Amino acid sequence: MKKVFKSALTIVSLSLLSSASAASLTVWTHFGDSELTWLKAQAAAYTKTSGNAVQIVSVPFDQLPDKMIQSAPKGQGPDLVVTLPQDRLGQLAAAGVIEPMDKYVTSKSDLDKTAVSAMTYQGKLFGLPMFAESVAVVYNKKILPNGVPSTWDGFIKAAQANTGSGKFGFLVDLSNAYMNYGIFSAYGGYVFKTTGGTVNVKDVGLSNAGSDKAAAMLNDLRYKYNLVPEGVDGGVAKDAFVQGRLAMLLTGPWDMADIKKANIDYGIAALPTPTGATGKWSPFVGVQGVMMNAYGKNKVAAAQFAKALVSGDAQVAFNKAGGRIPVSLSARVKLKSDPVVAGFGKSISAGTPMPNVPQMSAVWGPWSNAVAQSVQKANPNYTSILDGAVKEINGNIK
């Protein structure tokens, strides 16, 4: 009888120990529909293997950063946020509400290096990248059966040969600074100098000699090569492509649903290196990742779940759920037959992460205005325009 009682007591003790050691995680997310279903499935799988419960709370995307800053220090924040963009990472890290994750991640080899860099602030990894986006050249295979030429001269000739009579060879919103950053980077322009994951906001490279050449090349696309008429914005360019009147469109994954719906036989390629550029075209890359609450009580368990979310198999399932471009290299291999993943994946890997510091907010207005001014008439004074923009940027940062 004593032996039976002792066995029963042991079972109860182990049950209580297991219950006491199990964590209960709270996850804030802006996901909806199929992506939310995916996240709930991942949470259920994690709970089954770990014994840790996961509560998922929906929070509007635009409210996530500020709510995190306000709630985390009070002990009212989540364990994880799925997901936040890297352009808010610096603000959150400076506020002390997100936890560096380096010590929880033993290997980053399966994650795209550009995406990892985007989640790195002052040399520390403050989030696990989950998906990314950049621009690339989406082309009509019916018009260009041999694809996008690999040289700039060939690209220009192909674009000009398909321009006229209501048709266009190449279109992009020339006034959009984000869309055209790859041209700036190719010539040696940059927003902030970045070294080893640390951004120097006092070194702005948007008015150097390379940036002047980049602005001139954008101007040439309109006034020298006669490819991009005035009044063309992203919407006009996309409409021309889905109507079958455009050979090559510079755009991102956000337009692919409409392009697929139009039944365009498309391909995706990099923009060739512009004439006289010192480097290759390297477009801006936007990354969203999983971030951990610095005030959380269950960091080890939270890190385990975060790593599970960015694993190769989970990323494949995530892509199937919502079409996002994964940053897991093994996931990209498994999805290599998907032209959107393959095409934009290459562009992301070759791209430049948008600076993740709060000072980036001081850049967009002046820089966007300068780029727009640079293509309003033929051959303006690029140096004067860009110098004025950088002076305004530096003034905003101070």
Side-chain angles (χ1 to χ4, degrees):
M1 185 69 179
K2 288 183 179 179
K3 189 174 181 180
V4 173
F5 176 75
K6 184 177 180 181
S7 298
L9 185 61
T10 301
I11 292 171
V12 172
S13 298
L14 289 173
S15 177
L16 289 173
L17 180 63
S18 175
S19 177
S21 62
S24 180
L25 302 178
T26 299
V27 176
W28 285 359
T29 186
H30 60 88
F31 290 166
D33 300 327
S34 57
E35 290 183 340
L36 181 59
T37 300
W38 169 85
L39 182 57
K40 289 179 178 178
Q42 296 298 313
Y46 171 75
T47 296
K48 185 176 181 180
T49 57
S50 68
N52 298 324
V54 179
Q55 179 188 15
I56 296 173
V57 180
S58 294
V59 179
F61 180 72
D62 59 349
Q63 295 179 19
L64 276 171
D66 292 339
K67 192 169 182 179
M68 184 70 171
I69 290 172
Q70 295 163 6
S71 303
K74 301 175 184 177
Q76 300 171 353
D79 293 281
L80 295 172
V81 180
V82 181
T83 56
L84 283 168
Q86 98 259 28
D87 61 356
R88 300 300 294 268
L89 187 148
Q91 176 194 18
L92 294 162
V97 297
I98 54 176
E99 176 85 359
M101 300 185 73
D102 304 84
K103 65 181 179 182
Y104 302 102
V105 181
T106 56
S107 175
K108 305 169 191 170
S109 60
D110 188 47
L111 297 174
D112 187 296
K113 290 182 180 179
T114 302
V116 170
S117 177
M119 291 284 118
T120 302
Y121 177 74
Q122 294 185 346
K124 296 180 180 179
L125 184 69
F126 275 95
L128 297 185
M130 181 178 285
F131 61 91
E133 62 183 22
S134 71
V135 298
V137 179
V138 183
Y139 65 94
N140 187 322
K141 288 185 175 182
K142 184 177 180 181
I143 301 173
L144 294 176
N146 295 321
V148 176
S150 59
T151 67
W152 189 256
D153 286 345
F155 168 78
I156 294 297
K157 287 179 181 178
Q160 290 178 323
N162 289 285
T163 297
S165 302
K167 296 183 178 181
F168 305 94
F170 174 70
L171 290 179
V172 63
D173 183 352
L174 289 176
S175 65
N176 188 312
Y178 167 86
M179 294 290 294
N180 295 293
Y181 177 78
I183 299 287
F184 279 80
S185 64
Y187 283 105
Y190 53 88
V191 178
F192 298 124
K193 195 71 172 180
T194 302
T195 306
T198 299
V199 179
N200 182 1
V201 299
K202 294 183 179 180
D203 186 345
V204 181
L206 294 175
S207 64
N208 59 17
S211 290
D212 286 355
K213 292 178 181 178
M217 179 55 75
L218 294 178
N219 189 276
D220 284 348
L221 288 171
R222 173 162 290 164
Y223 297 104
K224 179 180 178 180
Y225 302 125
N226 298 311
L227 294 175
V228 186
E230 293 181 37
V232 171
D233 59 15
V236 170
K238 183 187 73 172
D239 287 346
F241 193 84
V242 299
Q243 292 165 9
R245 298 186 295 113
L246 171 60
M248 295 179 283
L249 168 68
L250 189 70
T251 190
W254 49 84
D255 277 339
M256 294 313 300
D258 289 335
I259 289 171
K260 290 178 180 179
K261 191 183 299 182
N263 292 319
I264 301 292
D265 186 11
Y266 66 89
I268 300 173
L271 191 73
T273 300
T275 298
T278 55
K280 291 186 177 182
W281 176 76
S282 182
F284 257 157
V285 176
V287 180
Q288 289 197 34
V290 184
M291 298 184 195
M292 184 192 298
N293 186 351
Y295 293 87
K297 305 299 184 184
N298 301 298
K299 293 178 183 177
V300 173
Q304 289 175 341
F305 185 43
K307 288 188 288 185
L309 293 176
V310 302
S311 66
D313 288 344
Q315 289 252 293
V316 170
F318 185 58
N319 169 265
K320 298 294 185 183
R324 310 270 196 178
I325 312 301
V327 297
S328 161
L329 302 181
S330 61
R332 287 185 188 169
V333 171
K334 292 177 181 178
L335 294 165
K336 63 183 179 181
S337 62
D338 184 329
V340 174
V341 172
F344 286 111
K346 290 178 182 177
S347 181
I348 289 163
S349 294
T352 301
M354 282 191 296
N356 57 20
V357 293
Q359 291 85 351
M360 192 63 193
S361 62
V363 174
W364 288 116
W367 183 34
S368 296
N369 289 337
V371 171
Q373 288 179 44
S374 296
V375 296
Q376 283 180 351
K377 64 180 182 179
N379 302 312
N381 188 328
Y382 306 111
T383 300
S384 176
I385 292 172
L386 293 172
D387 282 352
V390 171
K391 183 178 180 181
E392 186 178 350
I393 290 168
N394 287 328
N396 290 344
I397 290 174
K398 290 178 183 179

